[in-house]
Amino acid sequence: MFKFLTLLLVLVISSASAGRIVDYLLNMPIKNGCFEEHRKVLECVEPHEPFINLLELNLQQSSVYNIGLMRKVLQVSKNVSECIGEDLQCDSSKLVTFALNAGGYVGDKIYGDAFHCFINAQVPEIMENCTTDDLDPSELYNTTLIDETKDKYFECIAQQLYKVPSCKIGRIVDLYKAGHAAVDSYFDGVRFIDRADPAGLNLDELKYCDI
Ligand SMILES: *[C@@H]1O[C@H](CO)[C@@H](O)[C@H](O)[C@H]1NC(C)=O
Ligand SMILES: *[C@@H]1O[C@H](CO)[C@@H](O)[C@H](O)[C@H]1NC(C)=O
Ligand SMILES: *[C@@H]1O[C@H](CO)[C@@H](O)[C@H](O)[C@H]1NC(C)=O
């Protein structure tokens, strides 16, 4: 399970910004009454298109270690999200802002003080080493199983981080929050796409305060 998490950082962050959103929006069937909202989202993305195109051409797995680039991505994501605003009515725009906000939360945690630990410990490699089998679609709604797997996964990662001197406890906590938010958002997003249930599409940052 969680094999997908190897590329999770690139995915969360790039799906929060790069051409995926544009592609997604352009290919999305526009529901009745959603034309205006759809147009608004595209208008908010448009000024950033040169940067997004550049990113699409140059983004590699190693880009997660490029803090300057990633902070720029986060800034663009925030700008787009602020431009779109709240009170959305349509599923496609809800999913876009959810991805932007989740990516923003995760990115802010990683590309802050915790980055010292992230880069020295090579967290994406640790994630890969802690990965087991992929999740069966039928297990997507078994929260017991998902919670168990999540705990094991994060425990495995934490064990590796404790060995790295720059991974002071505060930094590990930040990465832990980022990881939980990323995994939860991933499942919320997948369930949303699977069952079109927008109930889960609310990033509750407070949930991660006491971790
Ligand atoms: C984000 O928006 C702010 C305020 O509108 C602007 O000054 C800044 O240049 C924008 N950043 C990016 C990366 O577009
Ligand atoms: C991942 O596992 C491989 C093989 O066991 C090991 O050589 C490598 O150092 C590990 N990487 C990290 C970052 O722990
Ligand atoms: C959910 O996963 C748990 C733990 O693996 C398992 O014991 C349980 O039978 C599963 N529940 C369902 C409804 O499949």
Side-chain angles (χ1 to χ4, degrees), residues 113-130:
D113 185 53
F115 186 68
H116 296 281
C117 166
F118 181 82
I119 190 166
N120 287 329
Q122 298 189 290
V123 170
E125 280 81 351
I126 293 179
M127 285 163 61
E128 187 157 12
N129 280 6
C130 287

